[in-house]
Short mmCIF file of all heavy atoms in Angstrom, two decimals:
data_model
loop_
_atom_site.label_atom_id
_atom_site.label_comp_id
_atom_site.label_asym_id
_atom_site.label_seq_id
_atom_site.Cartn_x
_atom_site.Cartn_y
_atom_site.Cartn_z
N MET A 67 107.61 73.37 113.39
CA MET A 67 106.72 74.28 112.62
C MET A 67 106.63 73.73 111.24
O MET A 67 107.57 73.47 110.56
CB MET A 67 107.37 75.66 112.70
CG MET A 67 106.58 76.65 112.07
SD MET A 67 107.37 78.38 112.13
CE MET A 67 107.71 78.49 113.82
N LEU A 68 105.39 73.63 110.74
CA LEU A 68 105.16 73.14 109.43
C LEU A 68 105.27 74.25 108.39
O LEU A 68 104.96 75.38 108.60
CB LEU A 68 103.75 72.58 109.32
CG LEU A 68 103.38 71.34 110.22
CD1 LEU A 68 101.94 71.02 110.08
CD2 LEU A 68 104.35 70.27 109.84
N ARG A 69 105.89 73.80 107.28
CA ARG A 69 106.06 74.73 106.17
C ARG A 69 104.73 75.31 105.73
O ARG A 69 104.61 76.55 105.42
CB ARG A 69 106.71 74.04 104.98
CG ARG A 69 106.93 74.95 103.83
CD ARG A 69 107.53 74.20 102.68
NE ARG A 69 108.79 73.72 103.01
CZ ARG A 69 109.88 73.57 102.25
NH1 ARG A 69 109.71 73.80 101.02
NH2 ARG A 69 111.04 73.10 102.61
N SER A 70 103.62 74.60 105.77
CA SER A 70 102.32 75.04 105.34
C SER A 70 101.81 76.15 106.22
O SER A 70 101.16 77.07 105.82
CB SER A 70 101.37 73.90 105.23
OG SER A 70 101.19 73.26 106.56
N GLU A 71 102.17 76.04 107.51
CA GLU A 71 101.76 77.11 108.47
C GLU A 71 102.55 78.40 108.19
O GLU A 71 101.93 79.49 108.20
CB GLU A 71 102.03 76.69 109.84
CG GLU A 71 101.09 75.59 110.40
CD GLU A 71 101.52 75.11 111.82
OE1 GLU A 71 102.57 75.46 112.30
OE2 GLU A 71 100.72 74.39 112.35
N VAL A 72 103.81 78.27 107.95
CA VAL A 72 104.65 79.52 107.57
C VAL A 72 104.08 80.07 106.26
O VAL A 72 103.91 81.35 106.12
CB VAL A 72 106.10 79.20 107.53
CG1 VAL A 72 106.91 80.41 107.02
CG2 VAL A 72 106.61 78.68 108.91
N ASN A 73 103.85 79.21 105.30
CA ASN A 73 103.40 79.71 104.03
C ASN A 73 102.00 80.43 104.16
O ASN A 73 101.75 81.46 103.48
CB ASN A 73 103.21 78.54 103.07
CG ASN A 73 104.57 78.09 102.47
OD1 ASN A 73 105.58 78.80 102.56
ND2 ASN A 73 104.55 76.89 101.93
N GLY A 74 101.12 79.91 105.03
CA GLY A 74 99.89 80.54 105.30
C GLY A 74 100.05 81.90 105.93
O GLY A 74 99.40 82.87 105.55
N LEU A 75 100.96 82.00 106.84
CA LEU A 75 101.28 83.34 107.49
C LEU A 75 101.74 84.29 106.42
O LEU A 75 101.35 85.43 106.38
CB LEU A 75 102.32 83.10 108.60
CG LEU A 75 102.83 84.45 109.12
CD1 LEU A 75 101.79 85.26 109.83
CD2 LEU A 75 104.08 84.11 110.05
N LEU A 76 102.70 83.86 105.60
CA LEU A 76 103.24 84.74 104.58
C LEU A 76 102.20 85.12 103.62
O LEU A 76 102.20 86.37 103.22
CB LEU A 76 104.45 84.04 103.87
CG LEU A 76 105.67 83.80 104.75
CD1 LEU A 76 106.74 82.99 103.95
CD2 LEU A 76 106.22 85.06 105.35
N LEU A 77 101.39 84.28 103.23
CA LEU A 77 100.25 84.66 102.30
C LEU A 77 99.34 85.74 102.93
O LEU A 77 98.91 86.68 102.40
CB LEU A 77 99.46 83.49 101.87
CG LEU A 77 98.35 83.68 101.03
CD1 LEU A 77 98.69 84.21 99.67
CD2 LEU A 77 97.52 82.31 100.73
N ARG A 78 99.01 85.50 104.19
CA ARG A 78 98.12 86.43 104.96
C ARG A 78 98.79 87.73 105.02
O ARG A 78 98.18 88.77 104.80
CB ARG A 78 97.80 85.80 106.32
CG ARG A 78 96.61 86.62 107.02
CD ARG A 78 96.09 85.90 108.19
NE ARG A 78 97.03 85.93 109.33
CZ ARG A 78 97.52 84.90 109.92
NH1 ARG A 78 97.22 83.61 109.51
NH2 ARG A 78 98.41 84.97 110.90
N ILE A 79 100.14 87.81 105.39
CA ILE A 79 100.78 89.07 105.48
C ILE A 79 100.75 89.81 104.13
O ILE A 79 100.45 91.03 104.08
CB ILE A 79 102.25 88.86 105.99
CG1 ILE A 79 102.29 88.49 107.44
CG2 ILE A 79 103.10 90.12 105.78
CD1 ILE A 79 103.58 88.05 108.03
N ALA A 80 101.13 89.09 103.07
CA ALA A 80 101.15 89.68 101.78
C ALA A 80 99.82 90.21 101.31
O ALA A 80 99.64 91.26 100.75
CB ALA A 80 101.72 88.71 100.75
N SER A 81 98.79 89.43 101.60
CA SER A 81 97.37 89.88 101.29
C SER A 81 96.91 91.07 102.00
O SER A 81 96.04 91.80 101.63
CB SER A 81 96.36 88.66 101.37
OG SER A 81 96.16 88.40 102.76
N GLN A 82 97.52 91.32 103.23
CA GLN A 82 97.14 92.52 104.05
C GLN A 82 98.01 93.66 103.61
O GLN A 82 97.50 94.90 103.57
CB GLN A 82 97.39 92.23 105.50
CG GLN A 82 96.42 91.18 106.07
CD GLN A 82 95.08 91.57 106.23
OE1 GLN A 82 94.75 92.72 106.51
NE2 GLN A 82 94.20 90.69 105.75
N GLN A 83 99.25 93.42 103.20
CA GLN A 83 100.18 94.51 102.89
C GLN A 83 99.89 95.07 101.46
O GLN A 83 99.94 96.32 101.19
CB GLN A 83 101.66 94.07 102.93
CG GLN A 83 102.14 93.93 104.37
CD GLN A 83 103.50 93.48 104.34
OE1 GLN A 83 103.98 92.67 103.51
NE2 GLN A 83 104.33 93.84 105.39
N LYS A 84 99.63 94.20 100.54
CA LYS A 84 99.49 94.69 99.13
C LYS A 84 98.47 95.78 98.95
O LYS A 84 98.77 96.79 98.31
CB LYS A 84 99.20 93.49 98.31
CG LYS A 84 99.13 93.76 96.80
CD LYS A 84 98.91 92.56 95.92
CE LYS A 84 98.89 92.80 94.43
NZ LYS A 84 98.71 91.63 93.69
N PRO A 85 97.15 95.65 99.44
CA PRO A 85 96.28 96.73 99.22
C PRO A 85 96.67 98.02 99.78
O PRO A 85 96.37 99.18 99.29
CB PRO A 85 94.92 96.17 99.83
CG PRO A 85 95.22 94.97 100.46
CD PRO A 85 96.60 94.54 100.14
N VAL A 86 97.32 97.99 100.94
CA VAL A 86 97.81 99.25 101.62
C VAL A 86 98.87 99.88 100.77
O VAL A 86 98.84 101.01 100.55
CB VAL A 86 98.37 98.92 103.06
CG1 VAL A 86 99.05 100.14 103.59
CG2 VAL A 86 97.27 98.37 104.04
N LEU A 87 99.79 99.08 100.28
CA LEU A 87 100.87 99.59 99.42
C LEU A 87 100.27 100.25 98.15
O LEU A 87 100.67 101.37 97.77
CB LEU A 87 101.90 98.49 99.16
CG LEU A 87 103.04 98.90 98.26
CD1 LEU A 87 103.87 99.95 98.99
CD2 LEU A 87 103.92 97.63 98.06
N TYR A 88 99.41 99.49 97.49
CA TYR A 88 98.99 99.97 96.17
C TYR A 88 98.08 101.25 96.33
O TYR A 88 98.23 102.18 95.57
CB TYR A 88 98.14 98.92 95.47
CG TYR A 88 99.10 98.06 94.62
CD1 TYR A 88 99.66 96.90 95.28
CD2 TYR A 88 99.31 98.21 93.31
CE1 TYR A 88 100.47 96.04 94.53
CE2 TYR A 88 100.11 97.39 92.56
CZ TYR A 88 100.74 96.37 93.19
OH TYR A 88 101.60 95.48 92.53
N ALA A 89 97.20 101.24 97.37
CA ALA A 89 96.44 102.40 97.60
C ALA A 89 97.21 103.60 97.86
O ALA A 89 97.04 104.66 97.41
CB ALA A 89 95.43 102.09 98.78
N ALA A 90 98.21 103.40 98.71
CA ALA A 90 99.12 104.54 99.15
C ALA A 90 99.90 105.07 97.86
O ALA A 90 99.89 106.26 97.66
CB ALA A 90 100.08 104.17 100.20
N LEU A 91 100.48 104.19 97.12
CA LEU A 91 101.36 104.61 95.95
C LEU A 91 100.48 105.13 94.85
O LEU A 91 100.90 106.04 94.14
CB LEU A 91 102.16 103.42 95.53
CG LEU A 91 103.31 103.04 96.38
CD1 LEU A 91 104.00 101.83 95.83
CD2 LEU A 91 104.27 104.18 96.67
N GLU A 92 99.33 104.62 94.65
CA GLU A 92 98.48 105.12 93.50
C GLU A 92 97.61 106.33 93.86
O GLU A 92 97.37 107.10 92.96
CB GLU A 92 97.53 103.96 93.01
CG GLU A 92 98.31 102.83 92.37
CD GLU A 92 97.50 101.65 92.02
OE1 GLU A 92 96.23 101.61 92.37
OE2 GLU A 92 97.97 100.72 91.40
N ARG A 93 97.11 106.41 95.05
CA ARG A 93 96.25 107.47 95.40
C ARG A 93 96.71 108.53 96.37
O ARG A 93 96.55 109.68 96.26
CB ARG A 93 94.91 106.88 95.92
CG ARG A 93 94.13 106.17 94.87
CD ARG A 93 92.80 105.63 95.20
NE ARG A 93 92.77 104.68 96.30
CZ ARG A 93 92.83 103.44 96.27
NH1 ARG A 93 92.96 102.81 95.05
NH2 ARG A 93 92.80 102.68 97.33
N GLU A 94 97.41 108.17 97.42
CA GLU A 94 97.82 109.00 98.54
C GLU A 94 99.14 109.71 98.21
O GLU A 94 99.27 110.91 98.35
CB GLU A 94 97.86 108.26 99.90
CG GLU A 94 96.61 107.56 100.28
CD GLU A 94 96.87 106.66 101.45
OE1 GLU A 94 97.84 106.87 102.16
OE2 GLU A 94 96.01 105.77 101.58
N TYR A 95 100.17 108.87 98.00
CA TYR A 95 101.47 109.36 97.98
C TYR A 95 101.70 110.41 96.83
O TYR A 95 102.31 111.47 97.20
CB TYR A 95 102.43 108.20 97.71
CG TYR A 95 103.88 108.37 97.90
CD1 TYR A 95 104.38 108.52 99.19
CD2 TYR A 95 104.81 108.52 96.87
CE1 TYR A 95 105.67 108.73 99.49
CE2 TYR A 95 106.14 108.71 97.15
CZ TYR A 95 106.58 108.85 98.41
OH TYR A 95 107.91 109.04 98.74
N PRO A 96 101.25 110.37 95.65
CA PRO A 96 101.49 111.38 94.66
C PRO A 96 101.06 112.77 95.09
O PRO A 96 101.85 113.74 94.97
CB PRO A 96 100.74 110.91 93.44
CG PRO A 96 100.65 109.42 93.48
CD PRO A 96 100.50 109.20 95.03
N GLY A 97 99.91 112.84 95.69
CA GLY A 97 99.36 114.13 96.09
C GLY A 97 100.11 114.70 97.28
O GLY A 97 100.23 115.87 97.50
N LYS A 98 100.65 113.81 98.07
CA LYS A 98 101.42 114.26 99.29
C LYS A 98 102.81 114.72 98.98
O LYS A 98 103.34 115.58 99.70
CB LYS A 98 101.44 113.10 100.35
CG LYS A 98 100.17 112.74 101.05
CD LYS A 98 100.38 111.66 102.06
CE LYS A 98 99.15 111.36 102.70
NZ LYS A 98 99.29 110.31 103.73
N VAL A 99 103.40 114.24 97.92
CA VAL A 99 104.78 114.59 97.59
C VAL A 99 104.92 115.53 96.47
O VAL A 99 106.05 116.13 96.25
CB VAL A 99 105.58 113.33 97.36
CG1 VAL A 99 105.57 112.47 98.63
CG2 VAL A 99 105.19 112.60 96.10
N VAL A 100 103.95 115.86 95.71
CA VAL A 100 104.09 116.83 94.62
C VAL A 100 104.61 118.15 95.14
O VAL A 100 104.07 118.69 96.07
CB VAL A 100 102.78 116.93 93.74
CG1 VAL A 100 101.75 117.64 94.55
CG2 VAL A 100 103.12 117.69 92.45
N GLY A 101 105.69 118.62 94.61
CA GLY A 101 106.24 119.95 94.89
C GLY A 101 107.05 119.96 96.23
O GLY A 101 107.45 121.01 96.65
N ARG A 102 107.21 118.80 96.78
CA ARG A 102 107.90 118.68 98.08
C ARG A 102 109.43 118.59 97.81
O ARG A 102 109.87 118.24 96.78
CB ARG A 102 107.43 117.51 98.92
CG ARG A 102 105.97 117.44 99.25
CD ARG A 102 105.62 118.61 100.13
NE ARG A 102 104.20 118.52 100.52
CZ ARG A 102 103.52 119.50 100.93
NH1 ARG A 102 104.03 120.68 101.06
NH2 ARG A 102 102.24 119.40 101.19
N THR A 103 110.19 118.83 98.89
CA THR A 103 111.67 118.59 98.87
C THR A 103 112.00 117.20 98.89
O THR A 103 111.12 116.40 99.32
CB THR A 103 112.33 119.34 100.04
OG1 THR A 103 111.98 118.72 101.21
CG2 THR A 103 111.95 120.87 100.05
N ALA A 104 113.17 116.86 98.52
CA ALA A 104 113.66 115.44 98.66
C ALA A 104 113.54 114.92 100.09
O ALA A 104 113.12 113.77 100.29
CB ALA A 104 115.13 115.34 98.16
N SER A 105 113.85 115.71 101.02
CA SER A 105 113.73 115.24 102.39
C SER A 105 112.24 115.05 102.84
O SER A 105 112.01 114.08 103.62
CB SER A 105 114.48 116.28 103.26
OG SER A 105 113.76 116.76 104.37
N GLU A 106 111.40 115.88 102.41
CA GLU A 106 109.95 115.69 102.66
C GLU A 106 109.38 114.41 101.96
O GLU A 106 108.62 113.61 102.55
CB GLU A 106 109.10 116.91 102.27
CG GLU A 106 109.41 118.15 103.12
CD GLU A 106 108.85 119.40 102.55
OE1 GLU A 106 108.72 119.50 101.28
OE2 GLU A 106 108.41 120.29 103.32
N ILE A 107 109.84 114.17 100.75
CA ILE A 107 109.43 112.97 100.08
C ILE A 107 109.98 111.73 100.74
O ILE A 107 109.27 110.67 100.90
CB ILE A 107 109.90 113.01 98.59
CG1 ILE A 107 109.13 114.13 97.80
CG2 ILE A 107 109.76 111.67 97.88
CD1 ILE A 107 109.75 114.43 96.48
N SER A 108 111.18 111.81 101.21
CA SER A 108 111.82 110.77 102.03
C SER A 108 111.03 110.44 103.24
O SER A 108 110.71 109.22 103.55
CB SER A 108 113.23 111.04 102.28
OG SER A 108 113.84 110.02 103.04
N ALA A 109 110.59 111.47 103.97
CA ALA A 109 109.83 111.32 105.18
C ALA A 109 108.39 110.62 104.86
O ALA A 109 108.02 109.75 105.59
CB ALA A 109 109.62 112.65 105.87
N ALA A 110 107.84 111.02 103.78
CA ALA A 110 106.53 110.47 103.41
C ALA A 110 106.78 108.94 102.99
O ALA A 110 105.90 108.05 103.35
CB ALA A 110 105.90 111.21 102.23
N GLY A 111 107.83 108.70 102.35
CA GLY A 111 108.10 107.30 102.06
C GLY A 111 108.40 106.42 103.32
O GLY A 111 108.01 105.31 103.44
N ARG A 112 109.09 107.04 104.22
CA ARG A 112 109.30 106.35 105.50
C ARG A 112 108.03 106.07 106.22
O ARG A 112 107.88 104.99 106.76
CB ARG A 112 110.23 107.13 106.34
CG ARG A 112 110.83 106.41 107.54
CD ARG A 112 111.82 107.24 108.39
NE ARG A 112 112.91 107.91 107.48
CZ ARG A 112 112.92 109.27 107.26
NH1 ARG A 112 112.08 110.07 107.86
NH2 ARG A 112 113.86 109.62 106.53
N ALA A 113 107.11 107.01 106.16
CA ALA A 113 105.82 106.82 106.90
C ALA A 113 105.07 105.67 106.14
O ALA A 113 104.41 104.84 106.84
CB ALA A 113 105.00 108.09 106.88
N LEU A 114 105.18 105.58 104.87
CA LEU A 114 104.48 104.51 104.12
C LEU A 114 105.11 103.19 104.42
O LEU A 114 104.46 102.16 104.70
CB LEU A 114 104.53 104.73 102.61
CG LEU A 114 104.04 103.65 101.76
CD1 LEU A 114 102.60 103.18 102.15
CD2 LEU A 114 104.09 104.03 100.34
N ALA A 115 106.42 103.12 104.53
CA ALA A 115 107.15 101.88 104.93
C ALA A 115 106.71 101.47 106.32
O ALA A 115 106.54 100.24 106.59
CB ALA A 115 108.63 102.09 104.80
N ASP A 116 106.62 102.46 107.16
CA ASP A 116 106.24 102.11 108.60
C ASP A 116 104.80 101.50 108.60
O ASP A 116 104.48 100.53 109.34
CB ASP A 116 106.16 103.37 109.50
CG ASP A 116 107.58 103.83 109.78
OD1 ASP A 116 108.59 103.04 109.69
OD2 ASP A 116 107.67 105.01 110.25
N ARG A 117 103.90 101.97 107.76
CA ARG A 117 102.49 101.39 107.71
C ARG A 117 102.57 99.95 107.18
O ARG A 117 101.85 99.13 107.75
CB ARG A 117 101.61 102.21 106.73
CG ARG A 117 101.18 103.55 107.34
CD ARG A 117 100.53 104.40 106.34
NE ARG A 117 99.31 103.84 105.74
CZ ARG A 117 98.74 104.21 104.60
NH1 ARG A 117 99.20 105.40 104.06
NH2 ARG A 117 97.68 103.63 104.08
N ILE A 118 103.43 99.70 106.20
CA ILE A 118 103.56 98.30 105.62
C ILE A 118 104.18 97.38 106.76
O ILE A 118 103.72 96.32 106.92
CB ILE A 118 104.41 98.37 104.43
CG1 ILE A 118 103.78 99.15 103.26
CG2 ILE A 118 104.66 96.96 103.94
CD1 ILE A 118 102.44 98.66 102.87
N CYS A 119 105.17 97.95 107.46
CA CYS A 119 105.73 97.12 108.51
C CYS A 119 104.84 96.91 109.63
O CYS A 119 104.85 95.75 110.34
CB CYS A 119 107.03 97.81 109.02
SG CYS A 119 108.35 97.79 107.92
N ASP A 120 103.95 97.91 109.94
CA ASP A 120 102.91 97.71 111.02
C ASP A 120 101.97 96.55 110.71
O ASP A 120 101.57 95.75 111.58
CB ASP A 120 102.02 98.97 111.18
CG ASP A 120 102.91 100.03 111.92
OD1 ASP A 120 103.96 99.79 112.48
OD2 ASP A 120 102.50 101.17 111.82
N VAL A 121 101.60 96.43 109.43
CA VAL A 121 100.76 95.33 108.98
C VAL A 121 101.50 93.94 109.32
O VAL A 121 100.88 93.03 109.84
CB VAL A 121 100.44 95.36 107.50
CG1 VAL A 121 99.76 94.08 107.01
CG2 VAL A 121 99.54 96.58 107.24
N MET A 122 102.79 93.84 108.92
CA MET A 122 103.48 92.64 109.14
C MET A 122 103.65 92.39 110.62
O MET A 122 103.40 91.27 111.08
CB MET A 122 104.89 92.73 108.57
CG MET A 122 105.67 91.46 108.73
SD MET A 122 107.33 91.42 107.89
CE MET A 122 108.16 92.69 108.79
N THR A 123 103.95 93.34 111.54
CA THR A 123 104.01 93.16 112.88
C THR A 123 102.74 92.69 113.52
O THR A 123 102.73 91.78 114.28
CB THR A 123 104.50 94.49 113.52
OG1 THR A 123 105.76 94.92 113.01
CG2 THR A 123 104.61 94.34 115.05
N ARG A 124 101.63 93.30 113.07
CA ARG A 124 100.37 92.94 113.68
C ARG A 124 100.05 91.41 113.34
O ARG A 124 99.61 90.77 114.15
CB ARG A 124 99.27 93.85 113.05
CG ARG A 124 97.83 93.57 113.57
CD ARG A 124 96.78 94.36 112.89
NE ARG A 124 96.63 94.03 111.57
CZ ARG A 124 96.72 94.86 110.50
NH1 ARG A 124 96.92 96.18 110.63
NH2 ARG A 124 96.59 94.47 109.30
N GLU A 125 100.28 91.05 112.10
CA GLU A 125 99.97 89.75 111.64
C GLU A 125 100.96 88.73 112.39
O GLU A 125 100.47 87.60 112.80
CB GLU A 125 100.07 89.59 110.13
CG GLU A 125 98.99 90.27 109.45
CD GLU A 125 97.60 89.82 109.80
OE1 GLU A 125 97.44 88.62 109.86
OE2 GLU A 125 96.75 90.62 109.88
N MET A 126 102.16 89.12 112.51
CA MET A 126 103.18 88.22 113.18
C MET A 126 102.67 87.97 114.67
O MET A 126 102.74 86.94 115.24
CB MET A 126 104.49 88.77 113.13
CG MET A 126 105.19 88.73 111.81
SD MET A 126 105.53 87.10 111.19
CE MET A 126 106.84 86.61 112.27
N GLU A 127 102.21 89.07 115.36
CA GLU A 127 101.84 89.01 116.68
C GLU A 127 100.62 88.20 116.94
O GLU A 127 100.36 87.56 117.95
CB GLU A 127 101.61 90.45 117.29
CG GLU A 127 103.00 91.15 117.50
CD GLU A 127 102.86 92.55 117.93
OE1 GLU A 127 101.71 93.17 117.91
OE2 GLU A 127 103.85 93.18 118.32
N SER A 128 99.73 88.12 115.94
CA SER A 128 98.43 87.46 116.07
C SER A 128 98.62 85.98 115.61
O SER A 128 97.70 85.16 115.76
CB SER A 128 97.36 88.07 115.15
OG SER A 128 97.58 87.98 113.81
N TRP A 129 99.81 85.61 115.12
CA TRP A 129 100.05 84.23 114.61
C TRP A 129 100.38 83.36 115.77
O TRP A 129 101.26 83.66 116.53
CB TRP A 129 101.13 84.27 113.62
CG TRP A 129 101.35 82.98 112.89
CD1 TRP A 129 100.39 82.25 112.20
CD2 TRP A 129 102.57 82.27 112.78
NE1 TRP A 129 100.98 81.13 111.63
CE2 TRP A 129 102.34 81.09 112.03
CE3 TRP A 129 103.82 82.47 113.32
CZ2 TRP A 129 103.30 80.18 111.75
CZ3 TRP A 129 104.79 81.60 113.01
CH2 TRP A 129 104.52 80.42 112.29
N HIS A 130 99.65 82.38 115.94
CA HIS A 130 99.84 81.35 116.99
C HIS A 130 100.26 81.99 118.26
O HIS A 130 101.02 81.77 119.03
CB HIS A 130 100.83 80.22 116.58
CG HIS A 130 100.24 79.52 115.43
ND1 HIS A 130 99.24 78.52 115.52
CD2 HIS A 130 100.55 79.47 114.09
CE1 HIS A 130 98.90 78.04 114.27
NE2 HIS A 130 99.69 78.61 113.48
#
């Protein structure tokens, strides 16, 4: 496996994850967690982490 291929995969994953993460943290997450309990905030954070991981999984599965 060539380093350039792995670097290309990592760049693609990062370029797919970054907009999801920023959009969620800047626009979605604040409104979803305001006034919530710590446990509810934790669950919302877990859901966001799952979305980010889904991007990585999808990209890994489509790679070669």
Side-chain angles (χ1 to χ4, degrees):
M67 181 177 314
L68 297 175
R69 180 182 297 211
S70 62
E71 291 176 346
V72 174
N73 286 344
L75 171 65
L76 295 175
L77 178 62
R78 193 169 70 240
I79 289 171
S81 69
Q82 295 292 318
Q83 288 179 326
K84 186 176 178 179
V86 172
L87 180 61
Y88 276 85
L91 289 177
E92 292 176 352
R93 293 188 296 272
E94 300 168 25
Y95 196 73
K98 288 182 178 181
V99 300
V100 68
R102 303 292 184 201
T103 67
S105 131
E106 291 169 327
I107 293 169
S108 178
R112 191 174 313 110
L114 174 55
D116 288 343
R117 285 172 56 195
I118 297 300
C119 289
D120 288 344
V121 170
M122 182 174 65
T123 300
R124 182 186 68 234
E125 291 300 318
M126 291 291 291
E127 289 174 350
S128 70
W129 187 56
H130 297 286

